[in-house]
Structures are given as structure tokens and as C-alpha cells.
Amino acid sequence: MEIAKGVHRIGPTRKGWKLGGYAQCYLIDDESGGLVLVDAGYEHDGHRILEYLWRIGRTPADITDLALTHAHRSHLGAVAALKRLNPRMTIHAHAWEADIVAGHRMAQPMPFRPLRPLTIYPMRIGSLINYDAHRGCPVDALLHDVDGQRIGPLEVIQTQGHTPGSVSFLWRERGVLAVGDAVATWPKLDAGWPGFNLDEARYQRSLQKIVSLEPKIVLTGHGLPVTENTTQKLESLLKGPYWPARS
């Protein structure tokens, strides 16, 4: 569905909801002719992406760029299928995670603690045993540790911590920020999921950076996007262990 002008939310599918905790991706249309897809869900979510494209009168050939926030299964599963349908599509990912996207290396498994929320334990176990592994696809364009790289109308913002190569994508003119797993709204609004950040200190600094950008809309990887009272909701995440950031 179109949640704001030029911003479409796709998913989650029933299986994607069960496996990936309300995982979804986003289609960006700045009316320049091409489309940018942010993340690609699980492998079976490719069907939902295709259905949505056809429903709005577009095809995979219209996607010029696929921008990955990070290399976890719930975000890159359909990349290979979409690339086969449109070989001219440019796949963007951080240089640190390109070999994961290509299928040459597993992403780091997540720890089992803390114990809550219990609803995400299937994902912890899945990451540990590499369940439902994605089909690898080479990355065409590497993102590096600098802000301001461009993918269509989007600016790349470095927000590492959840993973070493996590990035966010800012559509500055419209105040839209796609944050991957830096912010979650499922099963509740939270600073990611407890225990899912590989570098907690770095993540805390990234979260403060996200808040400082003052986005109007935050596109989350898991759960509904934040579209109202966004500044207030983001600032609420800085309380407790997330302020001040550890060095």
C-alpha cells in the first residue's frame, strides 16, 4: 500500500510474518521513471513484490536499484529472483556484507539472550542453523563508510551496530527514512530487538543519529512504519540504556 506520496509498503506475507516477525520491504517512486526497492523480504516474498508491481501498473524492469539495509535473511531473500527477472537492476549493499548477500558467508548468528521478547525466538534459532537460507546473488555496487552516497532519490546514512554493515536510506526532500532493523515496531516500538545488535555501543550512536535527522516517516524492517508523532516516538527510545551512548 502507498503510505505516503511515492512510498509503498509491500508485505508481510503470511509466511514472512511467521518466520520474520512482520518483515516487509518498501518501493520508492520519485516519478523519475525508475523505482528503488529497499530490502527484499524472504525468498517467497518475491511473489508479493511482483503482485504489487503489477497492481500499480509496473514490472520488475522498472526497478533500477535494490538497496539493502543489511544482510539478514528477512531482508535479502528475494534479491536473486528479482535480479533474474531484471538483470539490469543494480544491487547495493555495504562492502562488509556483500559476501553474505552473494551466499559465500553466513551472517553472524544472534545470541539467545536476553530472553524477551519470546516471539522472536524462532528467528534466533533460524539464524543459528541457517534455516531457509537465501539464494546468493552478487552485489553490483558497494556502499562504504561514508554518508551521502546516492541511490536514486535516497541518501545512504551509516547506521551500523545491528550488523557491521547496517545502513539507512534517507529521502531528505520528503522526510522519509528507511532504517532496516535499527527501529522495530513489532511486537512493540523498540530500539531494534533486545539482543539482536551485534555491537551495542555502535548501535546506540546510530540510534541517536537517526533521531537527530528528525524524519517525518520511519520505514521499519519489522512492524508498521512510524508515520505519526515520529520525533516523539523516536526520542522515547533514547531513554534508559540508550542514552548517553557508550564510547
Side-chain angles (χ1 to χ4, degrees), residues 75-220:
H75 298 260
L76 52 75
V79 171
L82 292 170
K83 182 70 170 181
R84 287 196 300 273
L85 292 171
N86 178 9
R88 293 179 297 175
M89 178 192 308
T90 301
I91 310 299
H92 304 261
H94 192 279
W96 193 90
E97 307 198 346
D99 58 343
I100 301 175
V101 180
H104 301 318
R105 174 170 64 94
M106 283 180 57
Q108 286 83 346
M110 297 300 171
F112 282 108
R113 292 183 178 275
L115 297 177
R116 293 185 182 277
L118 296 176
T119 49
I120 63 176
Y121 256 72
M123 282 161 278
R124 293 182 191 268
I125 296 171
S127 70
L128 183 64
I129 65 176
N130 203 29
Y131 175 73
D132 195 28
H134 72 285
R135 187 181 298 273
C137 180
V139 172
D140 301 307
L142 299 178
L143 305 177
H144 299 282
D145 290 332
V146 59
D147 288 347
Q149 298 164 92
R150 303 286 302 201
I151 303 175
L154 305 179
E155 296 177 38
V156 179
I157 306 295
Q158 301 299 312
T159 50
Q160 286 87 355
H162 175 64
T163 68
S166 289
V167 296
S168 296
F169 301 107
L170 175 65
W171 194 355
R172 189 176 296 273
E173 292 76 13
R174 301 194 184 177
V176 176
L177 183 65
V179 298
D181 289 357
V183 176
T185 58
W186 183 91
K188 65 175 184 175
L189 176 68
D190 210 340
W193 287 332
F196 266 60
N197 298 319
L198 294 176
D199 186 334
E200 191 64 37
R202 196 173 188 186
Y203 167 76
Q204 291 174 15
R205 295 192 293 273
S206 292
L207 180 60
Q208 292 178 37
K209 186 177 185 179
I210 287 169
V211 175
S212 72
L213 291 171
E214 299 183 341
K216 297 177 182 177
I217 296 174
V218 170
L219 307 180
T220 58

